[in-house]
Amino acid sequence: MIDCYEDIKDKPNWTSSFVKHDFPQLLEQLQQIVVGKPEVFRLACITMLCGGHLLLEGAPGVGKTLFARTLAQVTAADYRRLQMTPDMLPADVTGSMVFDPNGGELRYSGSPLEAHIVLADELNRASTRTQAALLEAMEEGTISIDGVTRKLPEPFMLIATQNPLSFEGTYRLLEAELDRFLMRLTIEYPDPEMESNMLIQQLAYEGCTRRVRAVLTPNEWLLIRKRIRNQHVDAAICRYIVELVQATRSHAEVRLGVSPRGSAALLRASQAEAFLHGRDYVIPADVQAVAVPVLAHRLQLRGGEDAAERQASMIQELLRCTPVPTFGHKLPRTHASAGGSGSQGGRKARKAAKLLRRPAYTGSGMPEQLPAMLRKQRRANHSWLGGLFR
């Protein structure tokens, strides 16, 4: 394991090994304990690796709290839980100054937010005043008490669970608070086969404590976060993200569109998606793969309640309508380092460029034959494809 994280470039082999071996093991450890769809777990791990915060929705008893605790175990992270209730005060979240009779002075009581992973269980049962106490911690990684600002541990991730608004004693989440969650995910009821396997495992481990193996450490978590933020993003991809976000602001059915913070969140999540596919650059398919969980909860729609299904369908509609960038720069037919126009290297390079000029990808990765061609041609000529690899 990595003990420090001074320079991400010193550990390229380790980060490649993480994508191929450790990340699948991390997902496997989660699925051994929590019953649910693997794609939900994968997106939750993307949120974690980006350094973002996660909002989990679902009916009681589907494993939201269990998932947060298990994620802390597989990352060897400090974990604390806040049970939100209507009578909680902001000081219960941030901590407060209390009188110490031994020293005869005020001392800081400490905050439950001082951990790597903090679970705010049933967040929408707390009043808006108490919810607002989380805003500074989520955005800046600090808390302020009596004019003194204290830094929270790094990495820091808030996982909040939310009950449906139709439940007794729930409040709406603040718009500014929703915007600070990188993704909103829903853990649904398991299908019959999954639920049957869960019961069988429960009988097999009756009376035993099931433990998971730590796959990651907090220092390695920081290392991967830095590596993800070094992923190359072409200017065309940035314009694609902005056009998608601008479309949410001008849509007739949208009352409040996605903010610039949402644009930055989509960029980070796209970088993580590319990283987990073994690439060091972002393609449009990466943006499309994470757009719905990153953007949907930031929309406020006209005409009543903002149902999650309606918000998701709105983002999917905008993805279909927004033009997808293509990298249509032609490769030179003759190039000494590429082996000339008739060489095998030149033919493969032109074939790779032709693949990149195709319309939006339907999957979350590139065609199988493309990465090897790109790696070979990239070594031969770093300036091709209009600066995609600069």
Side-chain angles (χ1 to χ4, degrees):
M1 290 189 175
I2 308 300
D3 296 325
C4 60
Y5 52 96
E6 297 88 358
D7 190 348
I8 188 66
K9 295 179 180 178
D10 295 339
K11 306 295 180 183
N13 294 332
W14 179 83
T15 53
S16 299
S17 174
F18 172 81
V19 172
K20 293 179 180 178
H21 305 292
D22 293 346
F23 186 69
Q25 291 180 20
L26 189 150
L27 294 178
E28 182 183 349
Q29 293 287 314
L30 288 172
Q31 293 171 34
Q32 286 181 2
I33 304 298
V34 189
V35 176
K37 294 183 177 179
E39 184 61 19
V40 173
F41 298 154
R42 184 178 181 278
L43 290 171
C45 291
I46 285 178
T47 303
M48 176 196 73
L49 296 176
C50 285
H53 308 294
L54 178 64
L55 179 61
L56 288 177
E57 293 184 338
V62 293
K64 302 185 295 295
T65 303
L66 179 62
F67 171 79
R69 186 169 68 244
T70 307
L71 184 63
Q73 292 173 353
V74 298
T75 55
D78 295 334
Y79 170 77
R80 292 189 181 182
R81 174 182 173 180
L82 268 171
Q83 183 62 53
M84 311 301 279
T85 58
D87 60 347
M88 283 189 71
L89 297 175
D92 297 325
V93 175
T94 61
S96 60
M97 303 300 292
V98 297
F99 180 73
D100 183 4
N102 295 326
E105 58 183 6
L106 294 175
R107 62 173 178 82
Y108 178 53
S109 63
S111 169
L113 297 179
E114 294 175 330
H116 295 126
I117 294 180
V118 177
L119 172 66
D121 204 10
E122 297 184 309
L123 177 60
N124 60 340
R125 289 200 184 277
S127 66
T128 54
R129 180 186 176 193
T130 303
Q131 291 179 30
L134 293 169
L135 298 181
E136 181 186 356
M138 296 176 70
E139 181 67 19
E140 303 169 24
T142 60
I143 49 177
S144 298
I145 302 96
D146 284 356
V148 178
T149 300
R150 293 173 169 83
K151 193 169 181 60
L152 295 175
E154 283 196 350
F156 172 72
M157 180 185 187
L158 179 73
I159 301 177
T161 67
Q162 178 178 217
N163 288 321
L165 284 175
S166 58
F167 281 25
E168 187 73 23
T170 56
Y171 298 82
R172 290 184 62 89
L173 295 184
L174 302 171
E175 290 82 359
E177 187 176 26
L178 277 172
D179 202 35
R180 283 166 165 79
F181 287 105
L182 189 127
M183 286 191 190
R184 179 187 65 187
L185 301 174
T186 301
I187 298 182
E188 301 175 347
Y189 287 117
D191 58 43
E193 183 178 356
M194 283 185 177
E195 195 163 0
S196 298
N197 292 336
M198 180 195 73
L199 296 178
I200 293 171
Q201 291 179 8
Q202 199 171 47
L203 291 172
Y205 287 93
E206 188 69 32
C208 303
T209 302
R210 298 188 64 183
R211 298 185 181 276
V212 294
R213 179 175 59 85
V215 179
L216 206 62
T217 67
N219 279 348
E220 293 169 347
W221 179 357
L222 285 171
L223 180 71
I224 294 170
R225 187 178 73 180
K226 189 174 181 180
R227 173 67 180 86
I228 287 173
R229 294 185 179 184
N230 285 340
Q231 293 283 98
H232 173 78
V233 184
D234 193 81
I237 298 294
C238 293
R239 286 192 294 269
Y240 177 53
I241 291 174
V242 171
E243 288 173 5
L244 182 60
V245 168
Q246 289 283 349
T248 68
R249 301 170 189 167
S250 58
H251 198 284
E253 297 184 22
V254 177
R255 182 166 58 88
L256 181 64
V258 177
S259 68
R261 184 191 285 121
S263 304
L266 182 56
L267 175 66
R268 295 302 183 203
S270 302
Q271 289 177 303
E273 178 75 12
F275 171 74
L276 292 178
H277 278 91
R279 286 182 271 104
D280 59 357
Y281 56 93
V282 177
I283 61 174
D286 299 323
V287 180
Q288 296 162 0
V290 296
V292 173
V294 172
L295 300 182
H297 65 283
R298 305 172 196 272
L299 296 181
Q300 290 190 21
L301 306 180
R302 300 183 189 277
E305 188 177 340
D306 298 328
E309 296 82 4
R310 190 179 168 205
Q311 291 170 325
S313 64
M314 179 70 65
I315 297 298
Q316 291 167 352
E317 174 193 336
L318 295 177
L319 284 171
R320 290 190 295 268
C321 298
T322 305
V324 178
T326 56
F327 302 93
H329 298 275
K330 293 183 179 180
L331 292 175
R333 285 199 165 273
T334 57
H335 196 290
S337 63
S341 60
S343 68
Q344 184 180 6
R347 288 194 299 272
K348 286 186 175 181
R350 286 192 295 277
K351 186 176 180 182
K354 184 178 179 182
L355 286 170
L356 275 178
R357 287 196 293 270
R358 289 180 179 176
Y361 304 107
T362 56
S364 59
M366 302 179 75
E368 293 181 0
Q369 67 268 38
L370 183 55
M373 298 178 188
L374 291 183
R375 288 195 296 271
K376 186 173 182 179
Q377 182 61 20
R378 186 183 177 196
R379 290 195 297 268
N381 181 3
H382 284 266
S383 63
W384 68 301
L385 283 177
L388 180 61
F389 296 110
R390 287 176 190 160

